[in-house]
Amino acid sequence: MAATGKMLQKGKGGMRMVPVNESSASPFTLPEPSWIPDAQCQSCIQCQGKFDFLNRRHHCRRCGKCFCDTCSSAKVLLPRMLYVDPVRHCAGCTAVSKKENDFFEKHIKALMTGGAFSVNQTGETNDNDTVYTCKLSSDHRHLHFENEHRRLDDISLTDIDSLQIWTEEKDSDVLQPRKGKGSNPLASGLAMKYKDSCGEMQLVKMVVAGQNKRQGQCWVASMQKAFKMIHDSRTSIR
Ligand SMILES: [Zn+2]
Ligand SMILES: [Zn+2]
């Protein structure tokens, strides 16, 4: 069996908590940037101040570019690059990381808490609309579907191909795809296309169910943000 767990590692930018096994990394993890070599930067790219014995160069941990101390003085949490403590950020990266940290605090928590959904999967004919609790695993890698009788196959977050949010129109039970931005009605469910463990494309439809509908609605909104974050970091790496 492959080793799991995490280990503390001292990197060039600070202490990082890295997975022992690469394949158990959170799908929200970002690779560290390569740092611009000292010889290639003679002045701060923010304020143009020349580097010398007193005005030292510092690397922003997120973008890897060179700044003076003043222009990179912010210390911000960077969990996506596995740093344990807040690390040095330039102004541009500070804004991005703060927004992401807001996501980790609110939305990852909501996804792990879970919500109740009527679940309808491809190929299911006789067990439609059974209510399951759906939650994100603690390593952020899988969606679990479970009720007191049954557990469905996990869906790997990185195997989700597309995600469609459904909203409930007022005075109507008809589910309609969300139309652009604007009124922002509450989500009543979602449909996800994903690859199963055999590589086959599957479809799962989930409709908010149970007593605490608000929790399910929040779960859908959080899932939408999680999908976008994973998709955005994949396209930026390419
Ligand atoms: Zn500067
Ligand atoms: Zn930066």
Side-chain angles (χ1 to χ4, degrees):
M1 201 179 141
T4 54
K6 292 175 179 179
M7 59 182 173
L8 205 54
Q9 199 177 66
K10 192 176 182 305
K12 59 186 173 181
M15 295 299 277
R16 297 169 72 231
M17 189 63 95
V18 299
V20 173
N21 187 343
E22 188 75 18
S23 65
S24 66
S26 159
F28 299 104
T29 307
L30 285 178
E32 283 184 284
S34 42
W35 284 14
I36 305 286
D38 287 1
Q40 283 179 26
C41 42
Q42 302 305 321
S43 55
C44 171
I45 62 165
Q46 184 84 41
C47 69
Q48 271 77 51
K50 277 237 171 288
F51 293 131
D52 55 29
F53 185 71
L54 290 174
N55 189 24
R56 310 302 292 262
R57 45 172 80 72
H58 300 273
H59 287 89
C60 168
R61 299 316 191 239
R62 187 171 180 117
C63 65
K65 292 174 184 161
C66 281
F67 297 88
C68 70
D69 183 49
T70 310
C71 294
S72 62
S73 59
K75 301 286 192 297
V76 186
L77 283 169
L78 187 48
R80 297 191 75 190
M81 290 184 193
L82 312 177
Y83 284 109
V84 177
D85 300 309
V87 288
R88 188 179 285 275
H89 275 63
C90 70
C93 291
T94 295
V96 180
S97 286
K98 281 195 169 161
K99 209 173 155 193
E100 285 180 359
N101 292 340
D102 193 51
F103 164 83
F104 276 94
E105 264 172 41
K106 286 186 201 152
H107 298 288
I108 287 284
K109 210 169 155 191
L111 289 170
M112 286 172 65
T113 304
F117 294 93
S118 300
V119 177
N120 187 330
Q121 279 182 310
T122 315
E124 292 272 328
T125 46
N126 50 4
D127 199 25
N128 285 354
D129 298 338
T130 309
V131 174
Y132 292 90
T133 299
C134 180
K135 57 173 76 170
L136 183 67
S137 61
S138 56
D139 63 4
H140 306 163
R141 296 172 57 78
H142 304 281
L143 297 179
H144 292 305
F145 297 86
E146 205 167 12
N147 62 26
E148 62 267 44
H149 307 295
R150 223 183 132 187
R151 186 171 160 184
L152 302 176
D153 288 340
D154 285 353
I155 295 177
S156 167
L157 230 54
T158 51
D159 287 339
I160 298 173
D161 189 66
S162 68
L163 183 146
Q164 188 178 21
I165 308 292
W166 300 82
T167 56
E168 210 162 336
E169 294 293 301
K170 272 184 194 139
D171 307 322
S172 158
D173 289 322
V174 181
L175 292 179
Q176 293 187 353
R178 175 176 289 219
K179 301 183 197 94
K181 285 183 180 170
S183 60
N184 201 21
L186 285 170
S188 61
L190 56 77
M192 288 188 287
K193 271 193 194 149
Y194 67 98
K195 276 199 201 85
D196 66 14
S197 51
C198 306
E200 298 281 326
M201 198 60 89
Q202 306 285 353
L203 178 71
V204 62
K205 290 178 185 163
M206 302 166 57
V207 176
V208 174
Q211 300 286 311
N212 191 348
K213 290 241 173 16
R214 177 84 192 133
Q215 197 178 340
Q217 288 161 340
C218 290
W219 195 94
V220 172
S222 298
M223 188 59 217
Q224 190 181 20
K225 287 194 189 306
F227 178 74
K228 188 174 181 304
M229 190 177 281
I230 290 172
H231 184 76
D232 285 353
S233 47
R234 272 189 201 163
T235 46
S236 68
I237 289 164
R238 262 177 219 146

